[in-house]
Amino acid sequence: MTALDSLGHPLSGASPRAAELYDTALAQLQCYRGDPVATATEAVQDSPGFVMGHALLAWLYLTASETAPLALAQQSLQTARDLPATPREQAHLQAAGDWLEGSWHLASRRLEELSIAHPRDALALQIGHLLDFYNGDSRLLRDRISRAMPAWSEAMPGYHAVLGMHAFGFEEAGQYDKAEAAGRRAVELNRHDGWAWHAVAHVMEMQDRVDEGIAWLRHDSPAWSEESFFAVHNWWHLALYYLERDETERVLELFDGPIFGHGPATALELVDASALLWRLHLRGVDLGDRWAKVAEAWAPQAGAGWYAFNDVHAALAFICAGRDDLLELVREGQRRAMAGKGDNVMFTAEVGSPLLESLLCLARGEHRAAARGLRDVRRIAHHFGGSHAQRDLIELSLVEASLGSGDRALAEAVVAERAALKPGRASTAGFLNRVWNQSA
């Protein structure tokens, strides 16, 4: 008799024990908590012919968005392809293979079709949602989940995660009331759902609700931080709120503590480290040797050229640490990427490379050139992924470049734009003061 997952999908080659472990690993992934790789590995050790166990491992390695785990993803996929599988399972393997070959959008499309046919395939929804995030597809972040929602109910295992994903999709689409309601309900259903906590934090970030954002993340921080491999990103959101209150000492405490103090090595966490230090750098905060430490952590990935979003954040560390050797490795990786195949050609050519060069100009004090480049890239920056909150780094950099350019009209225009969106922020007040001083 074929084992089933917790929502009734057949699991080829799985024993009842392996099926139970698969459900546990998926639940860990849905909360970004625990060690789903270890759990999925235990499942395939129990049942070597377990197709979806191997598929889950491949997906987990791929979602790291860096090159080091790709060989492990390839190994898991190769094992699974030699096993009897259902059409649903084969679709998972095909989509994972697309991503492994650099076809991020095709992988997303295959999972889109899979979720239309099997809307309760929680793994397909979860990975598809992450791909939408990596691809910067704000509409599909929402609509992929919207299509599946009628097939789900609160009585089903993992419903909180579907609701949390819907919340983030609503937020990125600008539907903040729906996003907050869905995210709060997801947390009520499972207080350990780090993605749902994150979705509500994004809403408050976008709506300039700084004090509420701090209260939201502070009132039960153990729920989203303990045993979580997503905790750094939520600590990063908390740090952004404190930065907007001009409490830079608190920001540095968070950086030296939960954001970077544990010595992160993964791209997902190092992106947050670079992004936070760059915002502090734009404020003129003395960062000591922090850039050097972040640059060393990024160094093994310097020439990867796998995902342009990562490359830009690595380059920021190298630029600010004075590591021209590592910066050149990033640029070499970008050149290889643009000469190669796959979607990172577009990610890099349209956004990653011109953005890196513009930020380099800004760091060197070449404000006019930086402003020109940043104005060109900001319109299409979503093409290389990330959230609105993450891509705000580009907007902040443009404001700084405009203020330093000597072009008073441009500076006034860009700061006015910022003030309309985020009027209550300390950073906005600082920008306005600088514009007024230039105009005096």
Side-chain angles (χ1 to χ4, degrees), residues 180 184 200-201 204-205 207-219 238 241 245:
E180 184 169 355
R184 286 183 179 273
V200 176
M204 294 173 179
E205 164 75 16
Q207 293 188 319
D208 210 20
R209 293 159 59 190
V210 172
D211 292 344
E212 288 180 75
I214 291 172
W216 167 249
L217 289 175
R218 280 293 190 195
H219 86 269
L238 183 61
Y241 290 131
R245 295 209 310 204

Side-chain angles (χ1 to χ4, degrees), residues 283-433:
R283 295 282 191 98
V285 176
D286 181 1
L287 297 172
D289 64 352
R290 292 179 179 89
W291 275 122
K293 292 178 179 178
V294 175
E296 284 302 317
W298 270 117
Q301 302 186 48
W306 172 247
Y307 183 42
F309 191 82
N310 293 349
D311 293 340
V312 167
H313 287 83
L316 284 176
F318 303 148
I319 291 167
C320 293
R323 293 297 304 271
D324 291 346
D325 55 332
L326 295 173
L327 175 61
E328 187 53 33
L329 288 179
V330 175
R331 291 161 122 180
E332 287 176 8
Q334 288 185 328
R335 289 191 286 270
R336 286 196 308 274
M338 290 186 285
K341 297 185 296 184
D343 294 326
N344 198 42
V345 173
M346 179 271 290
F347 298 158
T348 303
E350 290 190 1
V351 183
S353 180
L355 177 57
L356 187 159
E357 299 304 320
S358 298
L359 294 171
L360 179 58
C361 285
L362 179 56
R364 290 174 172 172
E366 300 167 11
H367 293 97
R368 286 181 177 271
R372 284 196 301 271
L374 291 165
R375 288 179 70 189
D376 288 342
V377 82
R378 69 193 298 225
R379 298 173 295 103
I380 56 170
H382 63 282
H383 288 177
F384 89 143
S387 65
H388 297 308
Q390 288 175 308
R391 293 190 301 269
D392 196 41
L393 178 150
I394 300 171
E395 304 301 320
L396 290 167
S397 299
L398 175 58
V399 172
E400 188 62 32
S402 300
L403 287 166
S405 69
D407 186 336
R408 183 182 299 174
L410 175 62
E412 289 177 345
V414 174
V415 172
E417 178 184 330
R418 182 79 180 177
L421 289 173
K422 301 183 185 295
R425 302 213 166 181
S427 60
T428 302
F431 292 143
L432 287 168
N433 285 334

Side-chain angles (χ1 to χ4, degrees), residues 253-278:
E253 287 172 7
L254 286 170
F255 179 87
D256 293 336
I259 293 175
F260 194 72
H262 60 296
T266 66
L268 293 172
E269 293 183 337
L270 292 175
V271 161
D272 290 331
S274 290
L276 185 57
L277 287 189
W278 181 253

Side-chain angles (χ1 to χ4, degrees), residues 87-88 91-92 109-119 121 124:
R88 182 185 69 89
H92 270 279
R109 183 56 179 266
R110 285 198 198 275
L111 289 174
E112 185 182 354
E113 298 301 325
L114 199 162
S115 292
I116 289 170
H118 302 278
D121 185 328

